[in-house]
Amino acid sequence: MQHIRSSVESILDSIQRLRNVDSKPRPNPVLSYHGLAVHPQLKSPLFKIPPELRNYIFQLTLSAYEDPNRPYQPNAYYYRPGLTCALKIDTDLLLTCRRVYFEAHKISLSINEQLSWYYREPPGINNGHVPTDDRLGSVVRRRHLKTIHVFAQQVWLEGRGFASFTRLLDSTLMGYANPMTLIITLRHSDWWWWEYEAPLTLDPKKEGQASVTEHSRPSDPFHSKSWGNQFRNVRGLKKLQMELETVEKKQRELDEIVERAKGWEFLLGEGRLLLPNKSITRRTGWTGAMLDTVNEGEQDFDVYLMNEDIGNRLEDPPAIKARERLEATGVVFDEAGSVKGLPAHKTCTYYVVTLTWEAYSYCHRQGYVRDPCGCIE
């Protein structure tokens, strides 16, 4: 009996010792990132939820938004839907701890567009004379960029500027920047001689300024220095979007360009093609202020023309009639980005068409198919 009692006491003593050991606080396992110790933050509710849900929270928190404390003047060249105010990204979350930073800092780079202006940019933004690689930021930033949005004047697109831009995007020259999507926006004030209401024209196969009367055909080759031939420098490109904007009275001219663009096919590197996706073409409109003062209030040649001449001709009849004409052709208006409260003679109705091209690769089994082909070798 004594033997059994001793055995039971020994077992109970062992259990108590195990309980004492288990009750002691255990150190958290230490994570490592690039040689730095990272606390796992296991007591935080944020790190008790599935990583997919946590990443979604990070995306919502780190998405760029228009800062109402820094509004743009409605009559500035850079004012438009989505850019009525300076954009802001709240990065305070990244300062909370190392684990949050290492998990989330790439997300902020991949979900937000990298905006680049080539002339007529917002205050505080580097202009088109700054080298592209400086505009795109550090190597770490370039490595994770997914979308680059360029606001370009037509003279830059058709000249040497765009060729230099695409060469810098190429992975062999810049190292890391292989954007999935490239967006090119030509605003109303970016077209050749918009001040004089010159006819709109755009041709990806011609060198230099496009002709008003002669347009390239689908069977024509690309000139080596044409802007359409430069996409072959961006081998990681998956999607191209062109956002073409003009005023309502030039809707027919822009629609003629859009019709020709349905046959535009761009060569990419490594035997790939950018082919138009006609099913997702968007036609939108918005009401803005008459272009006026820009660049910190300096009066320039454009301002003089707009105030003295063109400003009286762009919207005749008034903007409300222009909007009705666009809506009658199926154009959807952007209410959030439209200017409100201005008298009719100070407003301008804009017409925007967004075209999309998607990358296709040549598959020996299926021909040209959308990236990736999915074949198993």
Side-chain angles (χ1 to χ4, degrees):
M1 190 72 177
Q2 183 68 29
H3 175 71
I4 295 175
R5 180 179 297 177
S6 298
S7 298
V8 170
E9 290 177 351
S10 177
I11 293 173
L12 292 175
D13 184 61
S14 298
I15 293 175
Q16 183 61 43
R17 286 200 303 271
L18 290 174
R19 285 177 176 174
N20 292 337
V21 170
D22 191 60
S23 63
K24 293 180 180 179
R26 297 180 178 179
N28 283 315
V30 177
L31 304 178
S32 177
Y33 187 89
H34 288 195
L36 294 175
V38 179
H39 194 287
Q41 307 293 347
L42 298 181
K43 293 183 179 180
S44 170
L46 186 62
F47 294 102
K48 294 180 180 179
I49 61 177
E52 294 83 3
L53 182 57
R54 184 164 64 249
N55 285 343
Y56 181 65
I57 294 174
F58 289 157
Q59 290 177 22
L60 293 177
T61 305
L62 297 170
S63 295
Y65 64 94
E66 295 176 279
D67 184 0
N69 296 318
R70 295 189 295 163
Y72 290 148
Q73 291 297 320
N75 56 357
Y77 289 116
Y78 40 82
Y79 183 100
R80 62 188 301 97
L83 286 172
T84 62
C85 305
L87 296 182
K88 181 179 180 180
I89 302 175
D90 287 322
T91 57
D92 291 346
L93 174 69
L94 301 178
L95 302 177
T96 55
C97 68
R98 283 183 176 179
R99 182 169 182 183
V100 167
Y101 177 83
F102 290 132
E103 283 196 17
H105 79 283
K106 297 177 183 179
I107 294 176
S108 68
L109 298 174
S110 62
I111 65 173
N112 294 306
E113 295 179 355
Q114 167 69 44
L115 304 184
S116 295
W117 279 267
Y118 290 88
Y119 306 100
R120 291 174 175 162
E121 66 283 345
I125 303 295
N126 289 332
N127 63 29
H129 299 290
V130 177
T132 304
D133 50 349
D134 290 342
R135 290 160 157 267
L136 295 180
S138 66
V139 169
V140 173
R141 181 177 180 82
R142 298 197 301 262
R143 182 183 295 139
H144 301 293
L145 286 176
K146 297 298 182 183
T147 302
I148 297 178
H149 190 165
V150 176
F151 294 87
Q153 285 193 299
Q154 191 174 5
V155 63
W156 178 86
L157 178 67
E158 296 177 340
R160 297 180 179 179
F162 185 62
S164 299
F165 175 83
T166 56
R167 284 195 296 269
L168 285 167
L169 286 183
D170 181 43
S171 60
T172 61
L173 294 181
M174 205 169 74
Y176 300 101
N178 276 322
M180 302 292 288
T181 301
L182 175 63
I183 304 172
I184 301 174
T185 295
L186 285 180
R187 298 159 293 184
H188 160 58
S189 59
D190 290 326
W191 297 90
W192 280 105
W193 304 115
W194 67 276
E195 305 94 330
Y196 299 105
E197 299 187 63
L200 303 181
T201 182
L202 191 65
D203 195 325
K205 296 186 176 182
K206 301 288 187 181
E207 178 188 12
Q209 186 174 355
S211 170
V212 176
T213 57
E214 297 181 4
H215 310 294
S216 61
R217 296 166 298 181
S219 59
D220 292 340
F222 285 91
H223 190 283
S224 61
K225 295 182 179 180
S226 66
W227 64 267
N229 193 51
Q230 308 310 315
F231 293 108
R232 64 177 65 215
N233 294 326
V234 193
R235 290 174 291 178
L237 192 61
K238 298 293 185 182
K239 180 187 293 186
L240 167 68
Q241 288 187 330
M242 293 197 72
E243 190 179 46
L244 307 177
E245 177 188 85
T246 188
V247 289
E248 181 272 337
K249 67 182 300 181
K250 287 180 169 287
Q251 179 186 12
R252 180 176 298 179
E253 295 179 29
L254 184 54
D255 283 345
E256 290 176 356
I257 294 176
V258 170
E259 188 63 30
R260 293 195 296 271
K262 294 178 181 179
W264 295 352
E265 299 179 359
F266 302 107
L267 295 173
L268 293 173
E270 302 172 336
R272 297 160 63 240
L273 286 175
L274 279 173
L275 300 180
N277 187 334
K278 305 170 188 177
S279 64
I280 55 177
T281 297
R282 290 187 289 113
R283 300 166 70 236
T284 59
W286 64 286
T287 302
M290 194 69 65
L291 294 181
D292 191 2
T293 305
V294 293
N295 295 330
E296 300 179 347
E298 296 178 3
Q299 295 289 327
D300 58 17
F301 182 62
D302 296 342
V303 172
Y304 174 80
L305 286 173
M306 292 299 294
N307 287 339
E308 297 298 321
D309 185 15
I310 296 178
N312 298 322
R313 291 185 283 137
L314 283 178
E315 285 298 340
D316 183 22
I320 188 170
K321 296 296 184 183
R323 172 170 178 159
E324 290 175 356
R325 289 195 295 270
L326 286 177
E327 289 180 327
T329 63
V331 174
V332 178
F333 264 72
D334 190 320
E335 298 293 348
S338 292
V339 177
K340 299 175 179 63
L342 288 178
H345 69 280
K346 291 187 178 181
T347 62
C348 187
T349 303
Y350 295 98
Y351 172 54
V352 185
V353 180
T354 303
L355 303 166
T356 301
W357 288 261
E358 295 175 333
Y360 282 70
S361 298
Y362 184 78
C363 173
H364 66 283
R365 296 181 180 179
Q366 305 177 61
Y368 275 103
V369 294
R370 186 178 303 173
D371 282 356
C373 69
C375 289
I376 300 177
E377 297 296 338

